[in-house]
Amino acid sequence: MATQTRLAVGVDIGGTGIKGGIVDLDAGTLVSERVKVATPEGAEPQDVLETVKEVLSKLDAPTTGLPLGVAFPAIIKGGYTLSAANVSDSWINFAAEDFFEKGLDRKIHFANDADVAGIAEVRYGAARDRSGLTILTTLGTGIGSAMIYNGTLIPNSELGHLDRAKHKHDAEHYAAYSAMEREELSWEKWAKRLQWYYSHLEFLFSPDLFVVGGGVSKHGDKFLNLLDIKTPIVAAVHRNNSGIIGAAALAAE
Ligand code: BGC
């Protein structure tokens, strides 16, 4: 008798887009089309909720009854969002998990976007079967990070907000993909900033592997080989879908 495919839904809320998909939990792949809707201007809670609803309704199969994971770009503890770097300040100390559960009228599993991307890469991607410390960084609107030691996630690491000594802005303002776009940097110029960032992380944590996620990871060949660090650094296998896949994987537990 054929065994049934285990499915869950992942929604990844980002500073620029809200993405969703249905995930095959055994394969760690999307079995639906990937739906993306722009993050509403200002990213206020009610507007984000409406956009999440829109994403779910646009999926090409019904999702009622499937576990739902929602990933969000903030520190998340006990269902509360405790920070807001690229979203409205209304999310600070906000009971977000409860808000989404009431608004969507279903249970969700709620976690940081980079943390779930890390989970996806550990279970189904670039960090699979890797021991020691893996640091996944997502280079997008901000820089998100997931620290995983021997398969266990250390949540809410927020390594995008490392200070740059004597500079006004933090690491993500200087080195996220949005910095490259904002300042129209060449790959080489951006890679110089990443060189500073990854050598700093390497010095602080002595990791065994860096995984680079976010939309720009599909262009890994344009910048990863420009970096001169000792730690192996590879693009995320699931690219910008890691957040959807990891959110779904966590929701099913
Ligand atoms: C947020 C993180 C998030 C990252 C990527 C940062 O600005 O503080 O929580 O993981 O952006 O979205």
Side-chain angles (χ1 to χ4, degrees):
M1 199 175 72
T3 48
Q4 245 192 330
T5 317
R6 292 187 314 129
L7 300 176
V9 186
V11 172
D12 184 8
I13 300 171
T16 317
I18 300 185
K19 298 150 269 181
I22 303 175
V23 176
D24 174 338
L25 297 170
D26 297 310
T29 50
L30 287 193
V31 291
S32 72
E33 215 187 303
R34 172 184 195 268
V35 171
K36 182 173 177 181
V37 177
T39 305
E41 188 72 34
E44 288 294 338
Q46 191 59 38
D47 298 336
V48 169
L49 170 66
E50 295 308 324
T51 312
V52 170
K53 283 188 191 164
E54 186 185 341
V55 167
L56 290 173
S57 71
K58 282 190 169 157
L59 286 170
D60 49 18
T63 66
T64 337
L66 295 182
L68 169 62
V70 178
F72 194 84
I75 299 170
I76 291 168
K77 251 189 133 129
Y80 276 72
T81 37
L82 300 184
S83 63
N86 295 299
V87 288
S88 148
D89 281 353
S90 327
W91 294 94
I92 300 174
N93 295 322
F94 182 67
E97 182 165 9
D98 195 47
F99 172 76
F100 281 116
E101 289 190 339
K102 289 204 173 103
L104 299 171
D105 195 23
R106 62 198 283 184
K107 281 258 158 232
I108 66 163
H109 189 288
F110 193 54
N112 173 267
D113 58 348
D115 281 346
V116 301
I119 294 284
E121 290 298 315
V122 163
R123 299 215 180 142
Y124 313 107
R128 198 174 181 162
D129 301 327
R130 297 293 293 243
S131 57
L133 178 64
T134 293
I135 299 183
L136 170 132
T137 51
T138 57
L139 302 174
T141 315
I143 295 182
S145 61
M147 292 181 75
I148 293 141
Y149 187 68
N150 288 340
T152 302
L153 173 75
I154 304 153
N156 294 312
S157 51
E158 293 293 334
L159 301 181
H161 297 295
L162 285 176
D163 269 342
R164 297 175 59 230
K166 301 200 193 87
H167 290 270
K168 197 166 130 226
H169 296 295
D170 60 8
E172 78 170 22
H173 186 267
Y174 180 64
Y177 179 57
S178 58
M180 182 189 186
E181 290 185 310
R182 190 179 59 237
E183 297 180 47
E184 297 179 5
L185 302 176
S186 62
W187 291 106
E188 289 72 19
K189 285 221 162 108
W190 186 49
K192 288 216 168 89
R193 297 185 179 197
L194 294 176
Q195 175 66 37
W196 165 78
Y197 184 60
Y198 287 108
S199 24
H200 194 43
L201 288 185
E202 180 171 68
F203 172 71
L204 292 177
F205 298 106
S206 302
D208 298 286
L209 177 69
F210 282 121
V211 180
V212 178
V216 73
S217 57
K218 63 174 175 286
H219 299 299
D221 56 329
K222 296 217 168 62
F223 62 95
L224 291 180
N225 56 0
L226 301 177
L227 302 179
D228 180 18
I229 50 177
K230 293 185 273 316
T231 314
I233 183 162
V234 296
V237 167
H238 298 286
R239 314 281 191 229
N240 217 9
N241 287 339
S242 306
I244 299 175
I245 295 171
L250 276 185
E253 281 173 6

